[in-house]
Amino acid sequence: QVQLVESGGGVVQPGRSLRLSCAASGFTFGYYSVHWVRQAPGKGLEWVGVVSSNGNDKTYADSVKGRFTIARDNSKNTVDLQMNSLGPEDTAVYFCTRGSIVGTKRPLDYWGQGTLVTVSS
Amino acid sequence: DIQMTQSPSSLSASVGDRVTITCRASQGISNFLAWYQQKPGKVPNVLIYDASTLQSGVPSRFSGSGSGTDFTLTISSLQPEDAATYYCQKYDSVPRTFGQGTKVEIK
């Protein structure tokens, strides 16, 4: 079955960096885009960014542009979210989600369980 | 960027009630609209996609309608297990903006 498993969350000081990873299985990983979505404690869902199926195209929310970078390794079925210059506003559960096959537009149909990032001194 | 506005932000209804949640896009998005349900402490799940297509396994009391800028999620007969927060999301293009959510409580 389709699985997405995030790792790498934890407590980090403001201004520091953290890298999250997402390991995928149960589907042809290289066919699908992968999105990151976050949810601050007690708040709604916020779309963070996406990497295309081949890794060449990436788009980010304005709130993280220039600080966050998404990269994928289709040989390992993994996606990383590199987060730099973290601030308290980045405190959230970060979800890795499956997007669309190239040429299609589909909702986020599979989600990982999420990993909590807490930015605090 | 296109903004997604949901209403109401919360509602309280009785078991058996018909519940309607609306989502408005600031520009047309055709029918590229999904509805998600998120129960406390759980991961969001797709209920409806392409504005009106029921995801496999989702009870038929859930339905969606709309196209362009105005969309609706309807629960025809509210059940206790429907207590959750519901989000709309556009996926016509990036950014894939979510609505702010509607919390549904059972009276």
mmCIF file of all heavy atoms in Angstrom, chain A residues 33 35 37 39 43-47 50 59 61-62 95 99-100 104-109 111-114, chain B residues 1 32 34 36 38 41-46 48-50 55 87 89 91-100:
data_model
loop_
_atom_site.group_PDB
_atom_site.id
_atom_site.type_symbol
_atom_site.label_atom_id
_atom_site.label_comp_id
_atom_site.label_asym_id
_atom_site.label_seq_id
_atom_site.Cartn_x
_atom_site.Cartn_y
_atom_site.Cartn_z
ATOM 1 N N SER A 33 4.445 14.039 -8.545
ATOM 2 C CA SER A 33 4.971 15.172 -7.790
ATOM 3 C C SER A 33 4.761 14.897 -6.296
ATOM 4 O O SER A 33 3.942 14.052 -5.915
ATOM 5 C CB SER A 33 4.257 16.468 -8.191
ATOM 6 O OG SER A 33 2.875 16.396 -7.906
ATOM 7 N N HIS A 35 4.304 17.068 -2.591
ATOM 8 C CA HIS A 35 4.055 18.357 -1.938
ATOM 9 C C HIS A 35 4.361 18.250 -0.443
ATOM 10 O O HIS A 35 4.205 17.188 0.157
ATOM 11 C CB HIS A 35 2.587 18.768 -2.092
ATOM 12 C CG HIS A 35 2.124 18.966 -3.499
ATOM 13 N ND1 HIS A 35 1.774 20.202 -3.999
ATOM 14 C CD2 HIS A 35 1.956 18.088 -4.516
ATOM 15 C CE1 HIS A 35 1.404 20.074 -5.257
ATOM 16 N NE2 HIS A 35 1.509 18.788 -5.593
ATOM 17 N N VAL A 37 3.062 20.080 3.104
ATOM 18 C CA VAL A 37 1.999 20.877 3.720
ATOM 19 C C VAL A 37 2.322 20.960 5.210
ATOM 20 O O VAL A 37 2.804 19.978 5.787
ATOM 21 C CB VAL A 37 0.618 20.216 3.507
ATOM 22 C CG1 VAL A 37 -0.471 20.973 4.258
ATOM 23 C CG2 VAL A 37 0.289 20.130 2.011
ATOM 24 N N GLN A 39 1.098 22.441 9.287
ATOM 25 C CA GLN A 39 -0.021 22.841 10.141
ATOM 26 C C GLN A 39 0.528 23.282 11.489
ATOM 27 O O GLN A 39 1.015 22.464 12.266
ATOM 28 C CB GLN A 39 -1.004 21.683 10.315
ATOM 29 C CG GLN A 39 -2.270 22.052 11.047
ATOM 30 C CD GLN A 39 -3.326 20.963 10.946
ATOM 31 O OE1 GLN A 39 -3.019 19.775 10.963
ATOM 32 N NE2 GLN A 39 -4.575 21.370 10.831
ATOM 33 N N LYS A 43 -3.923 25.379 14.250
ATOM 34 C CA LYS A 43 -4.225 26.204 13.073
ATOM 35 C C LYS A 43 -4.595 25.335 11.879
ATOM 36 O O LYS A 43 -4.645 24.111 11.967
ATOM 37 C CB LYS A 43 -3.020 27.080 12.725
ATOM 38 C CG LYS A 43 -2.592 28.006 13.855
ATOM 39 C CD LYS A 43 -3.675 29.008 14.221
ATOM 40 C CE LYS A 43 -3.191 29.989 15.280
ATOM 41 N NZ LYS A 43 -4.251 30.960 15.668
ATOM 42 N N GLY A 44 -4.838 25.983 10.728
ATOM 43 C CA GLY A 44 -5.241 25.285 9.526
ATOM 44 C C GLY A 44 -4.062 24.769 8.721
ATOM 45 O O GLY A 44 -2.904 24.878 9.116
ATOM 46 N N LEU A 45 -4.392 24.199 7.578
ATOM 47 C CA LEU A 45 -3.389 23.627 6.687
ATOM 48 C C LEU A 45 -2.790 24.727 5.804
ATOM 49 O O LEU A 45 -3.508 25.577 5.289
ATOM 50 C CB LEU A 45 -4.029 22.557 5.800
ATOM 51 C CG LEU A 45 -4.672 21.389 6.533
ATOM 52 C CD1 LEU A 45 -5.442 20.511 5.556
ATOM 53 C CD2 LEU A 45 -3.623 20.574 7.272
ATOM 54 N N GLU A 46 -1.479 24.672 5.644
ATOM 55 C CA GLU A 46 -0.782 25.628 4.788
ATOM 56 C C GLU A 46 0.082 24.863 3.793
ATOM 57 O O GLU A 46 0.961 24.095 4.182
ATOM 58 C CB GLU A 46 0.100 26.574 5.606
ATOM 59 C CG GLU A 46 0.846 27.580 4.746
ATOM 60 C CD GLU A 46 1.828 28.448 5.513
ATOM 61 O OE1 GLU A 46 2.132 28.135 6.673
ATOM 62 O OE2 GLU A 46 2.300 29.451 4.945
ATOM 63 N N TRP A 47 -0.154 25.083 2.523
ATOM 64 C CA TRP A 47 0.674 24.482 1.484
ATOM 65 C C TRP A 47 2.056 25.133 1.502
ATOM 66 O O TRP A 47 2.167 26.361 1.561
ATOM 67 C CB TRP A 47 -0.001 24.679 0.132
ATOM 68 C CG TRP A 47 0.743 24.089 -1.022
ATOM 69 C CD1 TRP A 47 0.696 22.802 -1.460
ATOM 70 C CD2 TRP A 47 1.618 24.790 -1.913
ATOM 71 N NE1 TRP A 47 1.511 22.653 -2.562
ATOM 72 C CE2 TRP A 47 2.087 23.858 -2.855
ATOM 73 C CE3 TRP A 47 2.063 26.102 -2.003
ATOM 74 C CZ2 TRP A 47 2.956 24.198 -3.882
ATOM 75 C CZ3 TRP A 47 2.936 26.452 -3.022
ATOM 76 C CH2 TRP A 47 3.374 25.506 -3.947
ATOM 77 N N VAL A 50 6.181 22.268 -3.643
ATOM 78 C CA VAL A 50 6.060 21.058 -4.459
ATOM 79 C C VAL A 50 7.328 20.850 -5.268
ATOM 80 O O VAL A 50 7.996 21.817 -5.669
ATOM 81 C CB VAL A 50 4.842 21.150 -5.404
ATOM 82 C CG1 VAL A 50 4.939 22.354 -6.328
ATOM 83 C CG2 VAL A 50 4.665 19.871 -6.216
ATOM 84 N N THR A 59 8.225 24.736 -6.688
ATOM 85 C CA THR A 59 7.505 25.964 -6.398
ATOM 86 C C THR A 59 7.256 26.019 -4.907
ATOM 87 O O THR A 59 6.955 24.987 -4.290
ATOM 88 C CB THR A 59 6.176 26.036 -7.167
ATOM 89 O OG1 THR A 59 6.413 25.820 -8.555
ATOM 90 C CG2 THR A 59 5.523 27.401 -6.983
ATOM 91 N N ALA A 61 5.628 28.312 -1.373
ATOM 92 C CA ALA A 61 4.773 29.370 -0.853
ATOM 93 C C ALA A 61 5.618 30.607 -0.576
ATOM 94 O O ALA A 61 6.805 30.501 -0.246
ATOM 95 C CB ALA A 61 4.095 28.895 0.425
ATOM 96 N N ASP A 62 4.999 31.770 -0.689
ATOM 97 C CA ASP A 62 5.730 33.010 -0.437
ATOM 98 C C ASP A 62 6.334 33.038 0.963
ATOM 99 O O ASP A 62 7.403 33.623 1.175
ATOM 100 C CB ASP A 62 4.789 34.213 -0.612
ATOM 101 C CG ASP A 62 4.447 34.486 -2.066
ATOM 102 O OD1 ASP A 62 5.138 33.942 -2.956
ATOM 103 O OD2 ASP A 62 3.486 35.240 -2.307
ATOM 104 N N PHE A 95 3.776 17.765 6.768
ATOM 105 C CA PHE A 95 3.288 16.572 6.093
ATOM 106 C C PHE A 95 3.887 16.477 4.694
ATOM 107 O O PHE A 95 3.933 17.466 3.947
ATOM 108 C CB PHE A 95 1.769 16.622 5.933
ATOM 109 C CG PHE A 95 0.982 16.636 7.201
ATOM 110 C CD1 PHE A 95 0.474 17.819 7.702
ATOM 111 C CD2 PHE A 95 0.710 15.456 7.885
ATOM 112 C CE1 PHE A 95 -0.286 17.848 8.856
ATOM 113 C CE2 PHE A 95 -0.044 15.470 9.048
ATOM 114 C CZ PHE A 95 -0.539 16.666 9.536
ATOM 115 N N GLY A 99 1.309 14.073 -4.862
ATOM 116 C CA GLY A 99 0.599 14.946 -5.775
ATOM 117 C C GLY A 99 0.125 14.219 -7.010
ATOM 118 O O GLY A 99 -0.458 13.145 -6.929
ATOM 119 N N SER A 100 0.430 14.819 -8.162
ATOM 120 C CA SER A 100 -0.146 14.351 -9.428
ATOM 121 C C SER A 100 0.887 13.680 -10.319
ATOM 122 O O SER A 100 2.080 13.957 -10.211
ATOM 123 C CB SER A 100 -0.741 15.533 -10.195
ATOM 124 O OG SER A 100 -1.647 16.258 -9.404
ATOM 125 N N THR A 104 -1.438 15.561 -15.339
ATOM 126 C CA THR A 104 -2.746 15.479 -14.685
ATOM 127 C C THR A 104 -2.796 16.479 -13.534
ATOM 128 O O THR A 104 -1.767 17.000 -13.088
ATOM 129 C CB THR A 104 -3.027 14.072 -14.141
ATOM 130 O OG1 THR A 104 -2.129 13.799 -13.045
ATOM 131 C CG2 THR A 104 -2.829 13.017 -15.212
ATOM 132 N N LYS A 105 -3.986 16.716 -13.045
ATOM 133 C CA LYS A 105 -4.187 17.572 -11.871
ATOM 134 C C LYS A 105 -5.038 16.776 -10.895
ATOM 135 O O LYS A 105 -6.227 16.523 -11.158
ATOM 136 C CB LYS A 105 -4.889 18.875 -12.268
ATOM 137 C CG LYS A 105 -4.057 19.728 -13.222
ATOM 138 C CD LYS A 105 -4.757 21.025 -13.582
ATOM 139 C CE LYS A 105 -3.926 21.828 -14.573
ATOM 140 N NZ LYS A 105 -4.551 23.133 -14.906
ATOM 141 N N ARG A 106 -4.441 16.378 -9.800
ATOM 142 C CA ARG A 106 -5.096 15.525 -8.829
ATOM 143 C C ARG A 106 -4.937 16.112 -7.434
ATOM 144 O O ARG A 106 -3.963 16.832 -7.149
ATOM 145 C CB ARG A 106 -4.480 14.111 -8.861
ATOM 146 C CG ARG A 106 -4.422 13.458 -10.225
ATOM 147 C CD ARG A 106 -5.766 13.426 -10.912
ATOM 148 N NE ARG A 106 -6.781 12.714 -10.141
ATOM 149 C CZ ARG A 106 -8.086 12.902 -10.295
ATOM 150 N NH1 ARG A 106 -8.517 13.816 -11.150
ATOM 151 N NH2 ARG A 106 -8.939 12.198 -9.594
ATOM 152 N N PRO A 107 -5.854 15.780 -6.526
ATOM 153 C CA PRO A 107 -5.705 16.254 -5.146
ATOM 154 C C PRO A 107 -4.592 15.493 -4.438
ATOM 155 O O PRO A 107 -3.982 14.582 -5.004
ATOM 156 C CB PRO A 107 -7.068 15.916 -4.525
ATOM 157 C CG PRO A 107 -7.536 14.731 -5.293
ATOM 158 C CD PRO A 107 -7.059 14.957 -6.712
ATOM 159 N N LEU A 108 -4.333 15.901 -3.193
ATOM 160 C CA LEU A 108 -3.306 15.254 -2.385
ATOM 161 C C LEU A 108 -3.931 14.018 -1.748
ATOM 162 O O LEU A 108 -4.584 14.113 -0.701
ATOM 163 C CB LEU A 108 -2.781 16.230 -1.337
ATOM 164 C CG LEU A 108 -2.258 17.547 -1.913
ATOM 165 C CD1 LEU A 108 -1.815 18.475 -0.791
ATOM 166 C CD2 LEU A 108 -1.119 17.300 -2.891
ATOM 167 N N ASP A 109 -3.744 12.874 -2.387
ATOM 168 C CA ASP A 109 -4.537 11.706 -2.003
ATOM 169 C C ASP A 109 -3.904 10.836 -0.916
ATOM 170 O O ASP A 109 -4.608 10.047 -0.285
ATOM 171 C CB ASP A 109 -4.909 10.862 -3.224
ATOM 172 C CG ASP A 109 -3.702 10.388 -4.018
ATOM 173 O OD1 ASP A 109 -2.566 10.768 -3.680
ATOM 174 O OD2 ASP A 109 -3.905 9.639 -5.000
ATOM 175 N N TRP A 111 -1.107 11.040 2.454
ATOM 176 C CA TRP A 111 -0.353 11.906 3.364
ATOM 177 C C TRP A 111 0.459 11.041 4.314
ATOM 178 O O TRP A 111 0.011 9.972 4.741
ATOM 179 C CB TRP A 111 -1.316 12.760 4.197
ATOM 180 C CG TRP A 111 -2.158 13.734 3.421
ATOM 181 C CD1 TRP A 111 -3.008 13.459 2.377
ATOM 182 C CD2 TRP A 111 -2.250 15.142 3.639
ATOM 183 N NE1 TRP A 111 -3.614 14.603 1.948
ATOM 184 C CE2 TRP A 111 -3.172 15.659 2.700
ATOM 185 C CE3 TRP A 111 -1.648 16.025 4.548
ATOM 186 C CZ2 TRP A 111 -3.497 17.019 2.634
ATOM 187 C CZ3 TRP A 111 -1.978 17.369 4.495
ATOM 188 C CH2 TRP A 111 -2.888 17.858 3.549
ATOM 189 N N GLY A 112 1.639 11.539 4.653
ATOM 190 C CA GLY A 112 2.362 10.925 5.746
ATOM 191 C C GLY A 112 1.724 11.301 7.079
ATOM 192 O O GLY A 112 0.784 12.092 7.126
ATOM 193 N N GLN A 113 2.264 10.751 8.139
ATOM 194 C CA GLN A 113 1.731 11.029 9.476
ATOM 195 C C GLN A 113 2.209 12.372 10.019
ATOM 196 O O GLN A 113 1.649 12.881 10.993
ATOM 197 C CB GLN A 113 2.128 9.920 10.453
ATOM 198 C CG GLN A 113 1.391 8.618 10.210
ATOM 199 C CD GLN A 113 -0.119 8.786 10.317
ATOM 200 O OE1 GLN A 113 -0.637 9.282 11.308
ATOM 201 N NE2 GLN A 113 -0.841 8.390 9.276
ATOM 202 N N GLY A 114 3.201 12.934 9.385
ATOM 203 C CA GLY A 114 3.674 14.245 9.794
ATOM 204 C C GLY A 114 4.825 14.160 10.781
ATOM 205 O O GLY A 114 4.968 13.193 11.528
ATOM 206 N N ASP B 1 -1.843 35.639 -6.439
ATOM 207 C CA ASP B 1 -2.260 34.288 -6.134
ATOM 208 C C ASP B 1 -3.767 34.234 -5.819
ATOM 209 O O ASP B 1 -4.332 35.188 -5.287
ATOM 210 C CB ASP B 1 -1.493 33.728 -4.944
ATOM 211 C CG ASP B 1 -0.010 33.520 -5.251
ATOM 212 O OD1 ASP B 1 0.362 33.532 -6.450
ATOM 213 O OD2 ASP B 1 0.762 33.348 -4.295
ATOM 214 N N PHE B 32 -11.265 22.253 -10.306
ATOM 215 C CA PHE B 32 -10.098 21.688 -9.619
ATOM 216 C C PHE B 32 -10.135 22.053 -8.133
ATOM 217 O O PHE B 32 -9.320 22.833 -7.631
ATOM 218 C CB PHE B 32 -8.807 22.160 -10.285
ATOM 219 C CG PHE B 32 -8.663 21.677 -11.705
ATOM 220 C CD1 PHE B 32 -8.713 22.578 -12.761
ATOM 221 C CD2 PHE B 32 -8.471 20.328 -11.980
ATOM 222 C CE1 PHE B 32 -8.592 22.143 -14.077
ATOM 223 C CE2 PHE B 32 -8.346 19.880 -13.282
ATOM 224 C CZ PHE B 32 -8.402 20.791 -14.333
ATOM 225 N N ALA B 34 -10.839 20.327 -4.185
ATOM 226 C CA ALA B 34 -10.974 19.155 -3.325
ATOM 227 C C ALA B 34 -11.434 19.585 -1.943
ATOM 228 O O ALA B 34 -11.161 20.708 -1.498
ATOM 229 C CB ALA B 34 -9.642 18.409 -3.221
ATOM 230 N N TYR B 36 -11.246 18.174 2.073
ATOM 231 C CA TYR B 36 -10.581 17.264 2.989
ATOM 232 C C TYR B 36 -11.279 17.304 4.344
ATOM 233 O O TYR B 36 -11.764 18.352 4.771
ATOM 234 C CB TYR B 36 -9.114 17.652 3.195
ATOM 235 C CG TYR B 36 -8.267 17.644 1.945
ATOM 236 C CD1 TYR B 36 -8.252 18.737 1.083
ATOM 237 C CD2 TYR B 36 -7.469 16.554 1.630
ATOM 238 C CE1 TYR B 36 -7.475 18.735 -0.062
ATOM 239 C CE2 TYR B 36 -6.676 16.551 0.487
ATOM 240 C CZ TYR B 36 -6.689 17.639 -0.351
ATOM 241 O OH TYR B 36 -5.908 17.634 -1.485
ATOM 242 N N GLN B 38 -10.447 16.505 8.380
ATOM 243 C CA GLN B 38 -9.394 16.228 9.349
ATOM 244 C C GLN B 38 -9.996 16.110 10.740
ATOM 245 O O GLN B 38 -10.542 17.090 11.257
ATOM 246 C CB GLN B 38 -8.308 17.304 9.344
ATOM 247 C CG GLN B 38 -7.131 16.956 10.248
ATOM 248 C CD GLN B 38 -6.046 18.013 10.253
ATOM 249 O OE1 GLN B 38 -6.312 19.200 10.101
ATOM 250 N NE2 GLN B 38 -4.798 17.582 10.440
ATOM 251 N N GLY B 41 -6.110 15.255 15.780
ATOM 252 C CA GLY B 41 -4.950 14.389 15.919
ATOM 253 C C GLY B 41 -4.695 13.468 14.752
ATOM 254 O O GLY B 41 -3.794 12.625 14.805
ATOM 255 N N LYS B 42 -5.494 13.628 13.695
ATOM 256 C CA LYS B 42 -5.372 12.739 12.540
ATOM 257 C C LYS B 42 -4.900 13.488 11.303
ATOM 258 O O LYS B 42 -4.869 14.724 11.265
ATOM 259 C CB LYS B 42 -6.726 12.073 12.238
ATOM 260 C CG LYS B 42 -7.273 11.248 13.397
ATOM 261 C CD LYS B 42 -6.390 10.071 13.706
ATOM 262 C CE LYS B 42 -7.028 9.177 14.759
ATOM 263 N NZ LYS B 42 -6.151 8.013 15.113
ATOM 264 N N VAL B 43 -4.565 12.719 10.293
ATOM 265 C CA VAL B 43 -4.114 13.261 9.013
ATOM 266 C C VAL B 43 -5.335 13.605 8.157
ATOM 267 O O VAL B 43 -6.342 12.897 8.195
ATOM 268 C CB VAL B 43 -3.238 12.210 8.298
ATOM 269 C CG1 VAL B 43 -2.854 12.677 6.906
ATOM 270 C CG2 VAL B 43 -2.004 11.888 9.117
ATOM 271 N N PRO B 44 -5.268 14.679 7.378
ATOM 272 C CA PRO B 44 -6.397 14.993 6.473
ATOM 273 C C PRO B 44 -6.643 13.877 5.459
ATOM 274 O O PRO B 44 -5.698 13.228 5.000
ATOM 275 C CB PRO B 44 -5.925 16.271 5.768
ATOM 276 C CG PRO B 44 -4.932 16.876 6.698
ATOM 277 C CD PRO B 44 -4.231 15.715 7.343
ATOM 278 N N ASN B 45 -7.909 13.690 5.125
ATOM 279 C CA ASN B 45 -8.306 12.702 4.117
ATOM 280 C C ASN B 45 -9.165 13.378 3.054
ATOM 281 O O ASN B 45 -10.030 14.190 3.375
ATOM 282 C CB ASN B 45 -9.124 11.579 4.752
ATOM 283 C CG ASN B 45 -8.277 10.650 5.585
ATOM 284 O OD1 ASN B 45 -7.201 10.227 5.165
ATOM 285 N ND2 ASN B 45 -8.734 10.340 6.770
ATOM 286 N N VAL B 46 -8.936 12.991 1.800
ATOM 287 C CA VAL B 46 -9.741 13.531 0.707
ATOM 288 C C VAL B 46 -11.148 12.957 0.776
ATOM 289 O O VAL B 46 -11.324 11.741 0.843
ATOM 290 C CB VAL B 46 -9.115 13.193 -0.665
ATOM 291 C CG1 VAL B 46 -10.014 13.680 -1.784
ATOM 292 C CG2 VAL B 46 -7.745 13.789 -0.789
ATOM 293 N N ILE B 48 -13.792 14.661 -1.364
ATOM 294 C CA ILE B 48 -14.342 15.027 -2.670
ATOM 295 C C ILE B 48 -13.200 15.592 -3.502
ATOM 296 O O ILE B 48 -12.363 16.350 -2.985
ATOM 297 C CB ILE B 48 -15.425 16.113 -2.534
ATOM 298 C CG1 ILE B 48 -16.558 15.679 -1.598
ATOM 299 C CG2 ILE B 48 -15.950 16.546 -3.914
ATOM 300 C CD1 ILE B 48 -17.619 14.846 -2.200
ATOM 301 N N TYR B 49 -13.166 15.258 -4.777
ATOM 302 C CA TYR B 49 -12.221 15.889 -5.693
ATOM 303 C C TYR B 49 -12.941 16.223 -6.996
ATOM 304 O O TYR B 49 -14.073 15.783 -7.215
ATOM 305 C CB TYR B 49 -10.988 15.007 -5.934
ATOM 306 C CG TYR B 49 -11.286 13.673 -6.598
ATOM 307 C CD1 TYR B 49 -11.181 13.535 -7.976
ATOM 308 C CD2 TYR B 49 -11.665 12.570 -5.844
ATOM 309 C CE1 TYR B 49 -11.458 12.322 -8.586
ATOM 310 C CE2 TYR B 49 -11.937 11.360 -6.439
ATOM 311 C CZ TYR B 49 -11.825 11.237 -7.823
ATOM 312 O OH TYR B 49 -12.097 10.035 -8.419
ATOM 313 N N ASP B 50 -12.273 17.012 -7.817
ATOM 314 C CA ASP B 50 -12.916 17.526 -9.036
ATOM 315 C C ASP B 50 -14.281 18.151 -8.712
ATOM 316 O O ASP B 50 -15.233 18.040 -9.470
ATOM 317 C CB ASP B 50 -13.075 16.428 -10.093
ATOM 318 C CG ASP B 50 -11.745 15.949 -10.653
ATOM 319 O OD1 ASP B 50 -10.717 16.610 -10.388
ATOM 320 O OD2 ASP B 50 -11.724 14.924 -11.348
ATOM 321 N N GLN B 55 -14.591 10.528 -3.232
ATOM 322 C CA GLN B 55 -13.445 9.629 -3.110
ATOM 323 C C GLN B 55 -13.943 8.246 -2.691
ATOM 324 O O GLN B 55 -14.908 8.113 -1.919
ATOM 325 C CB GLN B 55 -12.454 10.188 -2.077
ATOM 326 C CG GLN B 55 -11.233 9.334 -1.809
ATOM 327 C CD GLN B 55 -10.174 9.423 -2.897
ATOM 328 O OE1 GLN B 55 -10.483 9.666 -4.066
ATOM 329 N NE2 GLN B 55 -8.924 9.246 -2.520
ATOM 330 N N TYR B 87 -11.608 21.244 5.042
ATOM 331 C CA TYR B 87 -10.840 22.214 4.273
ATOM 332 C C TYR B 87 -11.112 22.036 2.781
ATOM 333 O O TYR B 87 -11.172 20.893 2.289
ATOM 334 C CB TYR B 87 -9.340 22.022 4.490
ATOM 335 C CG TYR B 87 -8.855 22.229 5.897
ATOM 336 C CD1 TYR B 87 -8.780 21.173 6.797
ATOM 337 C CD2 TYR B 87 -8.444 23.498 6.331
ATOM 338 C CE1 TYR B 87 -8.330 21.358 8.097
ATOM 339 C CE2 TYR B 87 -8.000 23.690 7.622
ATOM 340 C CZ TYR B 87 -7.944 22.618 8.501
ATOM 341 O OH TYR B 87 -7.487 22.816 9.773
ATOM 342 N N GLN B 89 -9.416 22.958 -1.021
ATOM 343 C CA GLN B 89 -8.109 23.247 -1.605
ATOM 344 C C GLN B 89 -8.224 23.282 -3.126
ATOM 345 O O GLN B 89 -8.851 22.407 -3.734
ATOM 346 C CB GLN B 89 -7.065 22.196 -1.224
ATOM 347 C CG GLN B 89 -5.653 22.565 -1.700
ATOM 348 C CD GLN B 89 -4.696 21.391 -1.765
ATOM 349 O OE1 GLN B 89 -5.087 20.249 -1.967
ATOM 350 N NE2 GLN B 89 -3.411 21.677 -1.603
ATOM 351 N N TYR B 91 -6.472 22.969 -6.826
ATOM 352 C CA TYR B 91 -5.308 22.297 -7.402
ATOM 353 C C TYR B 91 -5.230 22.506 -8.912
ATOM 354 O O TYR B 91 -4.658 21.693 -9.639
ATOM 355 C CB TYR B 91 -5.269 20.803 -7.037
ATOM 356 C CG TYR B 91 -6.485 19.984 -7.373
ATOM 357 C CD1 TYR B 91 -6.583 19.282 -8.561
ATOM 358 C CD2 TYR B 91 -7.533 19.881 -6.457
ATOM 359 C CE1 TYR B 91 -7.688 18.507 -8.852
ATOM 360 C CE2 TYR B 91 -8.649 19.110 -6.735
ATOM 361 C CZ TYR B 91 -8.716 18.423 -7.938
ATOM 362 O OH TYR B 91 -9.820 17.659 -8.215
ATOM 363 N N ASP B 92 -5.771 23.638 -9.364
ATOM 364 C CA ASP B 92 -5.641 23.955 -10.780
ATOM 365 C C ASP B 92 -4.218 24.347 -11.124
ATOM 366 O O ASP B 92 -3.751 24.150 -12.252
ATOM 367 C CB ASP B 92 -6.594 25.094 -11.157
ATOM 368 C CG ASP B 92 -6.258 26.388 -10.427
ATOM 369 O OD1 ASP B 92 -6.013 26.336 -9.203
ATOM 370 O OD2 ASP B 92 -6.234 27.447 -11.077
ATOM 371 N N SER B 93 -3.533 24.940 -10.163
ATOM 372 C CA SER B 93 -2.165 25.396 -10.351
ATOM 373 C C SER B 93 -1.549 25.622 -8.979
ATOM 374 O O SER B 93 -2.250 25.570 -7.965
ATOM 375 C CB SER B 93 -2.144 26.700 -11.161
ATOM 376 O OG SER B 93 -2.821 27.720 -10.454
ATOM 377 N N VAL B 94 -0.237 25.895 -8.960
ATOM 378 C CA VAL B 94 0.392 26.248 -7.697
ATOM 379 C C VAL B 94 0.362 27.774 -7.534
ATOM 380 O O VAL B 94 0.376 28.485 -8.529
ATOM 381 C CB VAL B 94 1.842 25.715 -7.629
ATOM 382 C CG1 VAL B 94 1.821 24.195 -7.492
ATOM 383 C CG2 VAL B 94 2.652 26.135 -8.848
ATOM 384 N N PRO B 95 0.282 28.266 -6.311
ATOM 385 C CA PRO B 95 0.227 27.533 -5.060
ATOM 386 C C PRO B 95 -1.116 26.844 -4.837
ATOM 387 O O PRO B 95 -2.156 27.378 -5.221
ATOM 388 C CB PRO B 95 0.469 28.608 -4.002
ATOM 389 C CG PRO B 95 -0.046 29.857 -4.629
ATOM 390 C CD PRO B 95 0.266 29.742 -6.089
ATOM 391 N N ARG B 96 -1.068 25.689 -4.245
ATOM 392 C CA ARG B 96 -2.276 24.910 -3.966
ATOM 393 C C ARG B 96 -2.875 25.374 -2.640
ATOM 394 O O ARG B 96 -2.818 24.662 -1.644
ATOM 395 C CB ARG B 96 -1.943 23.433 -3.933
ATOM 396 C CG ARG B 96 -1.655 22.826 -5.308
ATOM 397 C CD ARG B 96 -1.844 21.340 -5.241
ATOM 398 N NE ARG B 96 -1.627 20.657 -6.498
ATOM 399 C CZ ARG B 96 -1.983 19.387 -6.707
ATOM 400 N NH1 ARG B 96 -2.554 18.693 -5.732
ATOM 401 N NH2 ARG B 96 -1.755 18.819 -7.867
ATOM 402 N N THR B 97 -3.498 26.489 -2.661
ATOM 403 C CA THR B 97 -3.984 27.156 -1.456
ATOM 404 C C THR B 97 -5.154 26.393 -0.837
ATOM 405 O O THR B 97 -6.047 25.905 -1.544
ATOM 406 C CB THR B 97 -4.424 28.581 -1.796
ATOM 407 O OG1 THR B 97 -3.374 29.240 -2.518
ATOM 408 C CG2 THR B 97 -4.744 29.366 -0.543
ATOM 409 N N PHE B 98 -5.138 26.339 0.494
ATOM 410 C CA PHE B 98 -6.246 25.784 1.260
ATOM 411 C C PHE B 98 -7.165 26.916 1.731
ATOM 412 O O PHE B 98 -6.712 28.047 1.962
ATOM 413 C CB PHE B 98 -5.736 25.057 2.505
ATOM 414 C CG PHE B 98 -5.041 23.754 2.234
ATOM 415 C CD1 PHE B 98 -3.660 23.720 2.052
ATOM 416 C CD2 PHE B 98 -5.740 22.566 2.183
ATOM 417 C CE1 PHE B 98 -3.003 22.530 1.827
ATOM 418 C CE2 PHE B 98 -5.096 21.361 1.955
ATOM 419 C CZ PHE B 98 -3.726 21.341 1.774
ATOM 420 N N GLY B 99 -8.430 26.571 1.943
ATOM 421 C CA GLY B 99 -9.296 27.447 2.702
ATOM 422 C C GLY B 99 -8.882 27.393 4.166
ATOM 423 O O GLY B 99 -8.097 26.541 4.575
ATOM 424 N N GLN B 100 -9.430 28.284 4.962
ATOM 425 C CA GLN B 100 -9.003 28.397 6.362
ATOM 426 C C GLN B 100 -9.622 27.327 7.257
ATOM 427 O O GLN B 100 -9.223 27.201 8.425
ATOM 428 C CB GLN B 100 -9.319 29.791 6.918
ATOM 429 C CG GLN B 100 -10.785 30.023 7.234
ATOM 430 C CD GLN B 100 -11.571 30.530 6.050
ATOM 431 O OE1 GLN B 100 -11.259 30.259 4.893
ATOM 432 N NE2 GLN B 100 -12.607 31.291 6.337
#
